[in-house]
Amino acid sequence: MAWVAIVLAGLCEIFGVIGMKGVTQKKGWSSYALMFASFAGSFLLLSYAMNTLPMGTAYAVWTGIGTVGSTIVGMFIFGEPKEWRRILFIAMILGSAVGLKLIS
């Protein structure tokens, strides 16, 4: 259950970053609500996962999911560059997160 919580926490982190991007673009209340609710949910789920997972593993996987997801959203929704080097380093982050799961 902790691994499900950490994946959901990472997904909430991605929505929080989308809300943050919305705040920078148009400052509507819906962007603020999305940002605060998503980050709150993300931190709650991360703290739940840390009850059973080692802190370093949980935090690394959480940040990895948030970083990779935010980068992918940036490339495909917000039109950020899709360079092969970005994709290479995203793959390295994903590989590291999977490696942490395998040894935990």
Side-chain angles (χ1 to χ4, degrees):
M1 192 66 188
W3 284 104
V4 173
I6 204 75
V7 169
L8 291 175
L11 293 175
C12 286
E13 186 78 5
I14 295 166
F15 283 110
V17 172
I18 291 170
M20 190 182 301
K21 180 73 173 177
V23 166
T24 62
Q25 289 181 335
K26 52 185 167 184
K27 299 191 187 313
W29 68 270
S30 60
S31 296
Y32 280 107
L34 176 65
M35 182 178 70
F36 287 119
S38 298
F39 282 136
S42 181
F43 285 122
L44 288 172
L45 289 164
L46 175 63
S47 66
Y48 172 78
M50 283 185 179
N51 287 327
T52 53
L53 294 175
M55 180 185 71
T57 300
Y59 187 74
V61 171
W62 174 70
T63 56
I65 291 170
T67 303
V68 169
S70 299
T71 304
I72 290 171
V73 166
M75 286 191 297
F76 289 102
I77 294 179
F78 295 108
E80 294 177 357
K82 299 177 189 93
E83 297 177 36
W84 68 268
R85 291 175 290 187
R86 294 184 86 192
I87 295 169
L88 172 69
F89 288 114
I90 288 171
M92 291 171 70
I93 292 170
L94 279 175
S96 299
V98 170
L100 285 171
K101 165 68 173 113
L102 293 176
I103 63 168
S104 294

